[in-house]
């Protein structure tokens, strides 16, 4: 495997283009576009993707089937993830650049999973929009691409590092004991004003809100490392985080996807956290709503009863 320390967690489009052209670096590009409304990301991939990119499906490769007991996007087992990587032409030596069209919201899940299994991966800063801005719409390739799968067994069946994850009980304990617990969802969901997807509205007691979308500046790129660091320090994340063990901050969201965006941002800022993959979808399903609370009505369209579009549902 390529040494992960040689590569940043987030890569600018010009640097990515240079790496793609280098024959000495086994770059693989992954398109991780995904849409809550069920629109197939594969359709967008076929309409135009970065040259050489393979499509990676979030629902079938980057997650196991969801249940109330596990949440909407539990982590995939090692076999499913490895087979999906091999189908995308990725092996243990690959250096992966992942992108989407949502400022890294879904691509970060792949990057985090690869890093958490000892592989090398980066989020393309600005996503496919940044690529088009730099190289033009005509640079995109239509169709299914010509990705050549790697040999079976070329991607190790390595479980996610358990020191990079946290359980529901870990999250509850952190909140109770005043240790850093980060809720990555939109502020209105954190405050319990609306809940478009899950059992009831609110947050895990003791959690602090760091909305993942605010990691992105007006230019569509991630904020600078110092700016990102300040965001998390303001939420109680210490200046020095334990790279392994129970002292690491715990990060969750709706179903364990956009929490990875915060985890990538933290790593880019020199901080380390753990993913609570079950997130609010698991917690709210397994805990009754407080008696004084009345959760907003959900709708199939992913909107609150008031009809407001929900910007952060994963």
């Amino acid at each position: 495997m390529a040494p992960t320390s040689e590569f940043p967690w987030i890569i600018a489009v010009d640097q990515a283009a240079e790496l793609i052209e280098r024959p000495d670096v086994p770059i693989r590009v992954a398109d991780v576009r995904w849409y809550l409304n069920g629109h197939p990301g594969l359709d967008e991939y076929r309409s135009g993707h970065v040259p050489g990119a393979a499509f990676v499906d979030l629902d079938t490769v980057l997650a196991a089937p969801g249940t109330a007991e596990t949440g909407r996007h539990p982590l995939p087992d090692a076999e499913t993830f490895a087979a999906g990587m091999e189908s995308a032409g990725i092996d243990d030596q690959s250096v992966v650049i992942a992108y989407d069209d949502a400022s890294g919201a879904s691509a970060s899940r792949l990057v985090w999973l690869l890093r958490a299994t000892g592989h090398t991966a980066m989020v393309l800063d600005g996503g496919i929009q940044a690529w088009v801005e730099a190289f033009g719409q005509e640079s995109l390739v239509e169709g299914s691409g010509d990705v050549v799968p790697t040999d079976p067994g070329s991607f190790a069946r390595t479980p996610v590092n358990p020191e990079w994850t946290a359980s529901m009980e870990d999250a509850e304990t952190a909140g109770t004991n005043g240790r850093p617990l980060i809720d990555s969802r939109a502020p209105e969901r954190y405050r319990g004003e609306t809940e478009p997807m899950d059992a009831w509205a609110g947050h895990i007691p003791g959690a602090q809100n760091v909305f993942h979308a605010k990691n992105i500046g007006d230019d569509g790129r991630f904020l600078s490392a110092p700016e990102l660091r300040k965001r998390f320090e303001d939420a109680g994340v210490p200046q020095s985080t334990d790279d392994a063990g129970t002292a690491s901050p715990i990060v969750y969201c709706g179903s364990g996807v956009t929490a990875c965006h915060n985890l990538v941002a933290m790593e880019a800022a020199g901080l380390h956290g753990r993913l609570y993959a079950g997130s609010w979808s698991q917690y709210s399903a397994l805990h009754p709503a407080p008696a004084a609370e009345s959760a907003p009505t959900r709708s199939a369209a992913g909107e609150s009863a008031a009809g407001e579009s929900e910007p952060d549902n994963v």
Side-chain angles (χ1 to χ4, degrees):
M1 299 181 189
T4 57
S5 59
E6 293 182 9
F7 299 92
W9 280 74
I10 302 165
I11 187 167
V13 67
D14 56 340
Q15 296 171 314
E18 291 176 7
L19 275 180
I20 290 170
E21 294 300 320
R22 282 179 53 181
D24 60 319
V25 181
I27 292 291
R28 297 291 180 269
V29 182
D31 185 315
V32 200
R33 281 179 279 184
W34 179 88
Y35 305 97
L36 182 73
N37 64 8
H39 177 68
L42 183 58
D43 286 357
E44 296 303 311
Y45 169 80
R46 288 171 174 161
S47 295
H49 56 266
V50 171
F55 179 72
V56 175
D57 184 65
L58 188 149
D59 287 322
T60 60
V61 175
L62 307 184
T67 68
E69 289 72 26
T70 60
R72 285 185 279 113
H73 288 109
L75 295 178
D77 60 57
E79 176 59 35
T80 297
F81 183 54
M85 294 300 94
E86 291 165 357
S87 294
I90 296 168
D91 61 22
D92 283 341
Q93 306 308 314
S94 299
V95 175
V96 177
I97 298 173
Y99 71 86
D100 54 35
D101 57 5
S103 301
S106 51
S108 292
R109 172 82 166 208
L110 172 58
V111 168
W112 184 88
L113 274 167
L114 285 166
R115 293 270 187 160
T117 54
H119 298 86
T120 304
M122 300 167 280
V123 173
L124 180 63
D125 202 6
I128 195 168
Q129 297 95 324
W131 184 275
V132 170
E133 180 183 316
F135 304 109
Q137 187 73 27
E138 65 277 7
S139 69
L140 301 182
V141 178
E142 296 182 357
S144 298
D146 54 358
V147 176
V148 178
T150 52
D151 293 334
S154 61
F155 190 97
R157 272 61 179 164
T158 304
V160 168
N161 186 339
E163 295 180 338
W164 284 40
T165 63
S167 67
M168 181 173 66
E169 292 74 19
D170 293 332
E172 291 181 280
T173 300
T176 299
N177 294 338
R179 295 201 298 270
L181 176 63
I182 302 299
D183 185 318
S184 309
R185 299 173 300 158
E188 58 268 27
R189 289 184 74 191
Y190 168 81
R191 292 191 298 262
E193 297 167 2
T194 182
E195 181 45 66
M197 297 294 293
D198 297 317
W200 51 276
H203 61 264
I204 299 174
Q208 300 297 311
N209 187 219
V210 182
F211 185 25
H212 75 90
K214 296 299 184 181
N215 293 327
I216 305 299
D218 293 339
D219 61 354
R221 310 301 200 268
F222 277 86
L223 301 175
S224 68
E227 290 172 312
L228 291 171
R229 191 178 187 91
K230 185 177 187 305
R231 295 197 73 221
F232 293 102
E233 289 179 349
D234 287 349
V237 174
Q239 293 184 1
S240 177
T241 56
D242 185 8
D243 188 52
T246 58
S248 298
I250 296 172
V251 184
Y252 75 92
C253 56
S255 65
V257 175
T258 55
C260 293
H261 194 272
N262 265 347
L263 288 164
V264 166
M266 288 173 66
E267 295 286 356
L271 303 168
H272 180 76
R274 293 182 288 156
L275 173 66
Y276 166 32
S279 286
W280 185 249
S281 59
Q282 180 190 46
Y283 182 92
S284 63
L286 298 181
H287 291 74
E293 297 291 334
S294 178
T297 302
R298 291 176 291 150
S299 74
E303 295 181 346
S304 69
E308 296 177 351
S309 178
E310 174 58 60
D312 168 53
N313 296 319
V314 291

